[in-house]
Amino acid sequence: MVNQLVEYINNPYDSSKAFELAEWYYAQNQTASALTFYLRVTEVNDDKLLTYESLIKAGLCLKQQGNRLHSVKSFLLHAIGLMPSRPEAFYAISLVYQQTGEWQECYSNAKIGHDNSFEVSSLRTYNCQPYYFKIQMATSLYHMGQQKRSLELLLELNKSADMSDEHKKIVLDSIRVIWGTDEWAVPSYYTKGRDELKYPFNGLETIEQNYSQAFQDLFILSSLNGKRNGKYLEIGSHEPQEHNNTYMLEKHFDWVGVSLDIDGNMVRKFNGIRDNKALLLDATKADYLSILDQKNLGTDWDYLQLDCEPSINTFLAMSLIPFDKYRFAVITYEHDYYCDETKSYRERSRRYLKSMGYELVVSNISVDHKSPFEDWWVHPSLVDMNRISNMMSLNEITEASKYFLI
């Protein structure tokens, strides 16, 4: 410490010396002294990046002192304003919003930070990995009532090999909090040569595996006996391949269609991989009549996916579908009953779809034994009901793997 202090006294306008002295105090948990020298850096420094880092560390000093979160936010917002394309201050402020229980703000800042976190130069002492932000996003989504989206992020993280042991434990513990077990940590898929399907269909031999989270793609093809050149409308597309209900339809069975999602990054990712493109739209405000009319593919379509967050948004999106003009052979409707605080949208959706002439085939699909999140429907005029009669499963819980796999 003596050396750092002497060097600073001899060079009081050298911001690097002030920063080194601040770091020494910070390492000793002498945050008041550290704060003084971090602020000194911002006064005498012409290095924008060092000023940015000093503002973040000044905020952390106040955070450690407790009961000063308003001032902490001020420092971090100042850092964001100085360099808004960098990720670190967004991560730091998301941790503050987590502490105060401001979950929307926590998610928004973590999301922006994640989008900024690639291909940036390192700071001297405060750096963040992209998975830090995903953990923050998953945590905030859980507290915002979007447990399924939270779980999808956690499962994605659980596959990552580059996380620290500490963060791997956080991810696994979070999965256990949501589900009580690790059952969702290893999603079930059909794999050729290992599994046998209860409801086989034409063309099954061409498939090495499916991609949906709960066998939705196999249900569609089983209901339509492996139909080729089908048509789909996918509302809430999210990932373009993994956990996606239409990837196999496009890849192996030459289906065409249109997808929608509200997440711009996901839409860009989707459109970089898929031949059938996704639209960046709010599903609760989309003009579905115009979207379907522009495709000019007739009024009988083969598949409709309804999957938004939270439950009310899925219902609102469904209410905009022009069922008076267009019919869909198969519908998967995500009611998210397990996490719907109102416990109302499952029954509301069932009444609505029945009034439109659809028949419920599989109720309360779940990937475990306790978390029903989806119903599967058909239009009796567009499917072979003799085939469908063998696929009925109207239960309080229908475990997806037990329903499909022998």
Side-chain angles (χ1 to χ4, degrees):
M1 181 268 186
V2 173
N3 290 337
Q4 287 98 331
L5 187 56
V6 169
E7 290 182 7
Y8 171 72
I9 291 171
N10 291 332
N11 301 279
Y13 293 99
D14 186 332
S15 57
S16 293
K17 301 303 180 185
F19 188 83
E20 290 171 6
L21 192 55
E23 281 293 296
W24 187 91
Y25 281 117
Y26 188 81
Q28 308 305 312
N29 202 32
Q30 297 183 32
T31 54
S33 298
L35 176 63
T36 298
F37 287 99
Y38 285 130
L39 293 178
R40 177 62 177 168
V41 173
T42 68
E43 293 171 354
V44 301
N45 183 33
D46 57 1
D47 182 338
K48 189 175 181 180
L49 192 59
L50 190 59
T51 298
Y52 171 79
E53 186 168 6
S54 296
L55 287 167
I56 294 174
K57 297 301 287 285
L60 297 183
C61 286
L62 292 176
K63 187 179 179 184
Q64 288 187 30
Q65 292 172 18
N67 299 320
R68 305 188 68 178
L69 292 181
H70 180 75
S71 297
V72 175
K73 291 178 184 177
S74 295
F75 276 116
L76 296 178
L77 289 171
H78 190 172
I80 289 171
L82 183 66
M83 302 192 77
S85 62
R86 290 197 65 92
E88 299 87 358
F90 286 105
Y91 177 67
I93 203 167
S94 79
L95 292 172
V96 175
Y97 286 124
Q98 178 181 359
Q99 184 176 342
T100 59
E102 296 171 272
W103 297 112
Q104 182 61 64
E105 292 81 357
C106 178
Y107 176 84
S108 297
N109 282 278
K111 182 69 168 63
I112 297 170
H114 175 267
D115 294 347
N116 291 349
S117 66
F118 302 96
E119 299 181 5
V120 294
S121 57
S122 298
L123 298 180
R124 297 189 183 193
T125 65
Y126 191 80
N127 289 293
C128 309
Q129 298 298 322
Y131 64 81
Y132 291 10
F133 299 95
K134 284 191 174 182
I135 291 174
Q136 287 298 99
M137 291 159 64
T139 300
S140 52
L141 284 168
Y142 172 79
H143 287 281
M144 290 160 61
Q146 298 187 39
Q147 285 90 341
K148 181 174 179 291
R149 289 284 300 279
S150 174
L151 186 63
E152 288 173 351
L153 278 174
L154 292 169
L155 294 174
E156 182 181 328
L157 285 163
N158 192 51
K159 298 178 182 178
S160 175
D162 61 356
M163 283 194 301
S164 68
D165 289 341
E166 176 187 359
H167 287 94
K168 286 179 181 177
K169 184 178 185 302
I170 291 172
V171 168
L172 281 173
D173 287 345
S174 298
I175 292 172
R176 293 186 184 104
V177 165
I178 296 176
W179 297 107
T181 70
D182 294 335
E183 291 177 37
W184 273 63
V186 185
S188 296
Y189 297 103
Y190 162 79
T191 303
K192 184 178 181 180
R194 185 195 72 180
D195 299 317
E196 187 176 356
L197 293 188
K198 293 180 182 178
Y199 314 109
F201 49 84
N202 292 335
L204 175 61
E205 68 279 359
T206 67
I207 297 171
E208 296 296 328
Q209 71 158 75
N210 76 303
Y211 296 89
S212 292
Q213 186 178 44
F215 302 98
Q216 290 94 332
D217 47 9
L218 294 181
F219 175 74
I220 298 160
L221 291 168
S222 294
S223 298
L224 300 173
N225 198 19
K227 180 174 183 177
R228 305 194 70 85
N229 304 114
K231 301 171 289 188
Y232 67 79
L233 173 60
E234 182 181 26
I235 299 174
S237 54
H238 205 57
E239 287 285 348
Q241 182 173 345
E242 186 175 4
H243 289 179
N244 184 272
N245 293 345
T246 63
Y247 179 76
M248 189 167 70
L249 305 179
E250 176 186 299
K251 179 180 175 66
H252 292 287
F253 291 84
D254 302 317
W255 284 40
V256 296
V258 60
S259 303
L260 286 77
D261 204 273
I262 199 171
D263 187 326
N265 288 313
M266 278 299 169
V267 169
R268 285 189 289 274
K269 181 179 179 181
F270 192 103
N271 291 340
I273 293 174
R274 298 285 293 271
D275 293 329
N276 299 321
K277 304 305 182 184
L279 304 175
L280 178 59
L281 290 172
D282 181 342
T284 66
K285 299 176 182 178
D287 183 352
Y288 295 106
L289 180 60
S290 176
I291 291 169
L292 293 167
D293 283 349
Q294 287 177 18
K295 299 301 287 187
N296 195 29
L297 294 173
T299 57
D300 285 342
W301 285 50
D302 299 292
Y303 174 52
L304 169 63
Q305 170 185 300
L306 288 156
D307 177 2
C308 303
E309 304 283 349
S311 304
I312 185 175
N313 287 343
T314 308
F315 189 83
L316 290 173
M318 180 177 64
S319 68
L320 298 177
I321 301 294
F323 285 112
D324 57 336
K325 180 176 180 180
Y326 285 90
R327 300 188 301 178
F328 302 88
V330 180
I331 297 176
T332 60
Y333 181 91
E334 184 163 308
H335 51 64
D336 282 332
Y337 184 79
Y338 75 96
C339 63
D340 174 14
E341 293 183 358
T342 71
K343 299 299 181 189
S344 65
Y345 286 101
R346 180 178 66 180
E347 294 309 315
R348 291 179 68 180
S349 67
R350 289 176 178 176
R351 289 195 299 269
Y352 189 87
L353 286 170
K354 286 178 181 177
S355 74
M356 295 294 167
Y358 291 86
E359 184 166 340
L360 182 60
V361 178
V362 183
S363 62
N364 299 314
I365 278 288
S366 175
V367 295
D368 56 19
H369 59 276
K370 62 180 180 179
S371 312
F373 70 92
E374 195 164 75
D375 287 338
W376 297 345
W377 300 77
V378 299
H379 196 294
S381 299
L382 300 178
V383 298
D384 179 354
M385 288 304 292
N386 290 326
R387 182 179 183 84
I388 294 299
S389 64
N390 295 319
M391 300 173 63
M392 301 289 287
S393 179
L394 302 180
N395 301 307
E396 286 302 311
I397 299 286
T398 302
E399 290 189 50
S401 59
K402 291 181 180 180
Y403 173 74
F404 259 107
L405 301 180
I406 297 175

